[in-house]
Amino acid sequence: MTTTIDLPDIAAMERLGIAIAKALRPGDVVALEGGLGAGKTTLARAIVAGLGHDGEVPSPSFAIIELYEPGPDGTGVRLPLVHADFYRLEHPDEAYEIGLDEYREGAALIAEWPDHAGGFGHEPGCLTIALEVADAGRLAIARGGSDWLGRMPK
């Protein structure tokens, strides 16, 4: 399943993030691909906001992992979320060493630079979004694993 989505402006990127957030389930991975400046963190922020987070969404470039949890009073995100930026990893084994598997238990994962962590495309719950700069903004090429059948973002 592959879908191409035009993203002419930030509002379109935010709509895509909200659409992904509405479809997101625990165990899913949103693997964000694209070069520096392609919009990976912008889309990740839109997904986190679409899940209900009200506040700053820092880039995990240096921390590598940021966690978002539902609040006890119904505030916060609607499901546990791990936002990871694997750019600084030098070898995929480092994802295991930082405890990625434990963080992912019962949570969804947004993965920037997923190839640096060994990739997630083999997982049925992986939605890969390749962002490309185009003449009129950006393009998102979305490829969903089998678990995304019937819930691909548009």
Side-chain angles (χ1 to χ4, degrees):
M1 292 176 283
T2 301
T3 304
T4 301
I5 303 160
D6 288 316
L7 302 170
D9 52 30
I10 291 293
M13 184 85 76
E14 290 171 351
R15 285 191 299 274
L16 176 59
I18 290 168
I20 293 169
K22 286 180 180 177
L24 204 59
R25 300 176 184 161
D28 283 344
V29 177
V30 180
L32 301 178
E33 300 177 345
L36 290 170
K40 295 180 296 296
T41 301
T42 300
L43 182 54
R45 286 179 173 139
I47 296 167
V48 174
L51 286 171
H53 179 73
D54 184 25
E56 183 181 349
V57 178
S59 171
S61 294
F62 294 101
I64 301 178
I65 290 179
E66 292 287 339
L67 303 175
Y68 298 90
E69 297 283 342
D73 58 355
T75 61
V77 292
R78 70 171 179 81
L79 57 84
L81 179 71
V82 178
H83 178 196
D85 184 331
F86 299 117
Y87 181 75
R88 295 182 341 148
L89 298 187
E90 294 181 12
H91 192 276
D93 289 344
E94 291 178 77
Y96 175 77
E97 291 169 10
I98 62 173
L100 182 62
D101 289 344
E102 289 82 21
Y103 286 120
R104 288 187 63 189
E105 281 187 34
L109 169 66
I110 299 173
E112 297 185 48
W113 301 96
D115 56 316
H116 290 220
F120 302 93
H122 62 282
E123 296 183 21
C126 183
L127 173 66
T128 300
I129 306 280
L131 294 168
E132 297 178 1
V133 177
D135 291 337
R138 288 177 170 67
L139 288 176
I141 297 127
R143 295 180 315 274
S146 60
D147 286 356
W148 281 88
L149 185 65
R151 58 185 179 118
M152 286 289 288
K154 297 177 184 176

